[in-house]
């Protein structure tokens, strides 16, 4: 009874403490930094370039094949080659962004893609079109790297997951725009329709390039250049409080090798921290923590694409055709539905990342993808083996394409960019991110350039069974190798990595803490009564 009175009294006299605990998530959400959000939105708009190309090529390819009279092999190369071309942009973007800054690299990405879109729109033959895709691919490579890096470096820890997921939001928005463009221009004459679909892509590249001129430079890049006063101004505007701004600046200075007590406006940064020797530290002599980070970054980028998302997005008209939709208009309308689902669920994901955390969202997302891929494979196999139309299998195939897009967009899609951008140390961030993007684009290129051939070799159902198997391996990899990063500052990430047995150790630590709590309950209850009565 005394214990009960003590607990009751404690509840009555500690309302302040109750509010402080409730403060953690709910009170940080309404105070989202609008300045940081605006800059993140502008930077992330460069990702619309990749999304638009993915979406528009799924439909344009149908008309290019008819216009140029080319084979399926040439079409799948045309579709997927942009991912290979984008490697040149991704590899150059890390060094370029360290040299001219994150902001002007965004401008450069927009300008390159603008030129590529115009070249594709005016292409007169297959070779000319491939040249335009090379130029556009370099622009896409720049955009794919710089948007998440800039956003992660600018964002406060409380909303970094939300803001860093914006590039994936705009990729999905771009895919939807590409699908809508396909349907809108499909009524034009054959020789004009697909050229308008591709050429109109120059327009989305203008806004982020112009908007970048009004954005602040990354505070981490400014510190790496020794411009502490400029970095402090940006941090004051993009942090949730003055205290957080000071802590972020101190962390970045420590990572850059600048003494904590150095408060000059402009300082000399040690050469070793200005990007020299980065590749050696990343690949030749990495520390255990860096090795773990690179394995995690490369792994998540690889599995994002190897699980077949580009096969679904780029070849959805072919999948719907196999499912029984034969009209070109109906196939293009069905792809618009895929784009709508992807965009809707990515918007939902942006609000869940900082609330639920990266790891639970990623694991549940991949589990849903595995179920959707396996069901899609079964339904397509039934359709393929049947001599008459199987209505339930057709409905199941169409619905699982949509469910796969939804599960991908709510976890695997946005978390890949968020996770990679936040786990890399400051000095290694640009080049480390470029490795991840390079693996991502190569894998995407292989999937998109082999899907038609793979479907002929092992059937379309067999292809999706293969992707389901890869997604299953991905789930095991994520469960064992990727620790939770929610709420950590970018400079605290190193402490999470370096031990590949972290999962076993963390479980052991939880059991130990739980045992200590149980053993300590009696003592803490005895103390609560007297303290409360004393008040």
């Amino acid at each position: 009874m005394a214990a009960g009175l003590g607990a009751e009294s404690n509840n009555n006299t500690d309302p302040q403490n109750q509010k402080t605990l409730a403060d953690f998530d709910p009170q940080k959400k309404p105070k989202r930094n609008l300045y940081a959000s605006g800059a993140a939105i502008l930077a992330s708009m460069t990702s619309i370039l990749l999304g638009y190309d993915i979406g528009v090529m799924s439909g344009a390819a149908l008309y290019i094949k008819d216009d140029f009279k080319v084979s399926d092999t040439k079409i799948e190369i045309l579709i997927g080659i942009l991912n290979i071309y984008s490697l040149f942009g991704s590899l150059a973007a890390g060094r370029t962004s360290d040299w001219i800054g994150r902001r002007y690299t965004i401008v450069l990405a927009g300008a390159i893609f603008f030129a590529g879109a115009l070249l594709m729109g005016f292409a007169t033959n297959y070779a000319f079109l491939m040249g335009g895709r090379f130029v556009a691919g370099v622009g896409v490579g720049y955009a794919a790297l710089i948007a998440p890096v800039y956003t992660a470096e600018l964002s406060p820890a409380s909303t970094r997951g939300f803001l860093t997921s914006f590039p994936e939001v705009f990729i999905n928005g771009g895919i939807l725009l590409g699908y809508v463009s396909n349907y809108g221009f499909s009524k034009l004459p054959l020789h004009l329709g697909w050229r308008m679909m591709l050429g109109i892509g120059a327009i989305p590249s203008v806004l982020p390039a112009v908007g970048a001129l009004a954005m602040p430079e990354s505070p981490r890049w400014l510190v790496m250049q020794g411009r502490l006063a400029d970095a402090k101004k940006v941090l004051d505007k993009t942090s949730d409080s003055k205290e957080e701004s000071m802590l972020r600046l101190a962390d970045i200075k420590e990572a850059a090798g600048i003494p904590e007590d150095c408060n000059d406006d402009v300082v000399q940064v040690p050469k070793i921290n200005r990007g020299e020797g980065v590749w050696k530290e990343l690949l030749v002599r990495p520390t255990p923590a860096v090795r773990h980070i690179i394995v995690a970054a490369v792994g998540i980028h690889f599995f994002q694409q190897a699980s077949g998302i580009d096969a679904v997005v780029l070849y959805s008209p072919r999948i719907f055709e196999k499912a029984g939709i034969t009209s070109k208009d109906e196939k293009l309308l069905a792809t618009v539905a895929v784009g709508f689902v992807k965009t809707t669920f990515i918007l939902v994901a942006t609000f869940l990342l900082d609330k639920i955390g990266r790891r639970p969202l990623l694991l549940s997302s991949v589990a849903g993808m595995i179920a959707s891929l396996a069901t899609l494979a079964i339904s397509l196999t039934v359709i393929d083996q049947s001599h008459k139309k199987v209505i339930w299998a057709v409905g199941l195939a169409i619905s699982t394409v949509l469910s796969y897009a939804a599960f991908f967009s709510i976890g695997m899609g946005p978390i890949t960019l968020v996770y990679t951008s936040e786990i890399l140390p400051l000095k290694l961030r640009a080049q480390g991110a470029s490795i991840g993007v390079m693996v991502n684009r190569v894998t995407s290129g292989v999937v998109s350039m082999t899907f038609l051939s793979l479907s002929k070799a092992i059937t379309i159902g067999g292809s999706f069974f293969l992707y389901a198997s890869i997604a299953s391996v991905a789930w095991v990899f994520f469960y064992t190798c990727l620790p939770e990063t929610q709420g950590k500052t970018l400079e605290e990430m190193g402490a999470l990595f370096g031990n590949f047995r972290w999962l076993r150790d963390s479980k052991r630590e939880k059991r130990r803490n739980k045992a200590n709590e149980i053993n300590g309950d009696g003592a803490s209850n005895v103390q609560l009564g007297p303290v409360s009565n004393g008040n």
Side-chain angles (χ1 to χ4, degrees):
M1 219 170 152
L5 286 169
E8 187 176 323
S9 177
N10 188 48
N11 286 339
N12 290 334
T13 56
D14 278 349
Q16 297 295 328
N17 289 341
Q18 295 287 338
K19 286 183 180 178
T20 302
L21 289 172
D23 251 4
F24 268 73
D25 275 337
Q27 288 196 5
K28 283 189 177 180
K29 295 293 179 185
K31 292 174 63 178
R32 192 165 284 137
N33 189 296
L34 295 180
Y35 185 79
S37 297
I41 288 171
L42 283 172
S44 302
M45 285 179 70
T46 58
S47 300
I48 208 170
L49 308 180
L50 173 59
Y52 184 83
D53 186 85
I54 291 172
V56 80
M57 280 306 294
S58 70
L62 301 175
Y63 301 96
I64 292 170
K65 181 181 179 181
D66 292 342
D67 194 11
F68 288 160
K69 305 292 189 294
V70 293
S71 65
D72 274 348
T73 302
K74 284 192 172 182
I75 287 297
E76 64 182 356
I77 291 173
L78 180 70
I79 289 174
I81 199 69
L82 182 129
N83 295 298
I84 307 301
Y85 290 154
S86 69
L87 292 180
F88 294 96
S90 296
L91 290 172
R95 177 62 70 180
T96 303
S97 66
D98 282 346
W99 179 40
I100 65 174
R102 312 320 194 206
R103 197 165 59 124
Y104 288 113
T105 304
I106 291 172
V107 176
L108 182 61
I112 295 172
F113 188 86
F114 181 87
L118 290 182
L119 288 172
M120 288 191 292
F122 287 108
T124 55
N125 54 48
Y126 185 84
F128 194 153
L129 186 55
M130 286 290 280
R133 288 191 70 69
F134 172 77
V135 176
V138 172
V140 164
Y142 268 93
L145 173 79
I146 197 59
V149 168
Y150 174 88
T151 307
E153 293 183 345
L154 196 74
S155 307
S158 62
T159 54
R160 191 176 58 248
F162 173 76
L163 297 179
T164 312
S165 65
F166 279 6
E168 188 67 22
V169 172
F170 281 101
I171 287 175
N172 283 273
I175 290 172
L176 180 57
L177 282 177
Y179 287 156
V180 171
S181 173
N182 288 338
Y183 185 73
F185 292 117
S186 64
K187 306 295 188 294
L188 294 176
L190 178 63
H191 70 282
L192 182 60
W194 68 264
R195 288 182 170 86
M196 288 298 295
M197 294 173 190
L198 298 179
I200 206 78
I203 295 176
S205 67
V206 174
L207 187 57
V210 173
L213 300 176
M215 289 156 41
E217 185 50 87
S218 157
R220 286 173 173 78
W221 183 82
L222 291 170
V223 170
M224 294 294 282
Q225 306 306 305
R227 295 163 55 182
L228 297 187
D230 292 338
K232 186 178 184 303
K233 288 178 185 176
V234 175
L235 287 168
D236 286 344
K237 290 182 178 180
T238 58
S239 298
D240 293 332
S241 65
K242 289 286 184 183
E243 292 76 15
E244 185 191 7
S245 173
M246 292 171 63
L247 286 172
R248 289 174 70 187
L249 180 60
D251 286 342
I252 300 169
K253 283 164 64 177
E254 181 182 357
I258 300 172
E260 187 179 349
D261 57 356
C262 179
N263 295 309
D264 295 340
D265 288 350
V266 180
V267 300
Q268 185 70 34
V269 179
K271 282 189 176 182
I272 193 170
N273 289 309
R274 292 175 65 98
E276 297 186 9
V278 167
W279 291 111
K280 185 181 291 184
E281 190 171 340
L282 273 172
L283 303 175
V284 181
R285 288 201 296 269
T287 63
V290 170
R291 186 182 298 112
H292 189 175
I293 286 170
I294 291 298
V295 168
V298 168
I300 195 170
H301 273 285
F302 170 77
F303 284 117
Q304 185 200 46
Q305 295 300 328
S307 55
I309 184 61
D310 274 1
V312 171
V313 174
L314 284 166
Y315 296 102
S316 51
R318 304 266 185 150
I319 298 170
F320 290 134
E321 183 179 350
K322 179 63 73 172
I325 300 175
T326 54
S327 164
K328 277 189 178 179
D329 275 0
E330 290 177 355
K331 283 188 283 188
L332 293 178
L333 273 175
T335 61
V336 172
V338 174
F340 180 78
V341 167
K342 278 180 63 62
T343 305
T344 301
F345 277 86
I346 190 68
L347 288 172
V348 173
T350 61
F351 294 98
L352 296 178
L353 276 168
D354 288 316
K355 187 175 183 180
I356 295 178
R358 285 55 159 157
R359 186 175 160 83
L361 206 55
L362 179 63
L363 293 174
S364 56
S365 164
V366 177
M369 288 165 57
I370 294 167
S372 297
L373 286 167
T375 308
L376 177 60
I378 292 168
S379 59
L380 289 173
T381 301
V382 169
I383 293 168
D384 216 21
Q385 299 298 319
S386 178
H387 298 294
K388 59 181 180 179
K389 195 169 186 177
V390 184
I391 300 299
W392 67 265
V394 170
L396 194 59
I398 294 171
S399 61
T400 49
V401 166
L402 298 177
S403 68
Y404 173 76
F407 278 116
F408 177 88
S409 296
I410 207 165
M412 176 75 102
I415 289 173
T416 297
L417 292 176
V418 172
Y419 200 86
T420 306
S421 298
E422 64 187 4
I423 64 176
L424 288 160
L426 170 62
K427 180 187 169 186
L428 312 177
R429 188 162 298 137
Q431 284 79 7
S434 70
I435 293 174
V437 172
M438 178 184 71
V439 171
N440 187 289
R441 293 297 89 206
V442 167
T443 311
S444 175
V446 170
V447 169
S448 53
M449 287 195 292
T450 59
F451 178 72
L452 295 179
S453 301
L454 187 67
S455 298
K456 289 175 182 176
I458 63 173
T459 75
I460 191 168
S463 300
F464 285 107
F465 275 124
L466 175 62
Y467 297 140
S469 302
I470 294 171
S472 301
V473 175
W475 194 94
V476 174
F477 174 82
F478 297 151
Y479 183 79
T480 55
C481 293
L482 272 61
E484 180 59 74
T485 60
Q486 181 188 14
K488 302 290 183 182
T489 68
L490 294 179
E491 281 64 42
E492 288 174 347
M493 294 297 171
L496 296 174
F497 293 87
N499 177 15
F500 282 98
R501 294 177 295 180
W502 68 272
L503 185 61
R504 186 191 67 184
D505 294 345
S506 65
K507 285 182 177 179
R508 186 180 297 163
E509 183 67 23
K510 283 181 182 177
R511 286 195 298 269
R512 188 183 300 119
N513 290 340
K514 190 174 181 180
N516 289 339
E517 285 175 10
I518 292 171
N519 293 334
D521 271 350
S524 60
N525 284 338
V526 170
Q527 289 176 356
L528 281 174
V531 171
S532 300
N533 292 335
N535 288 339

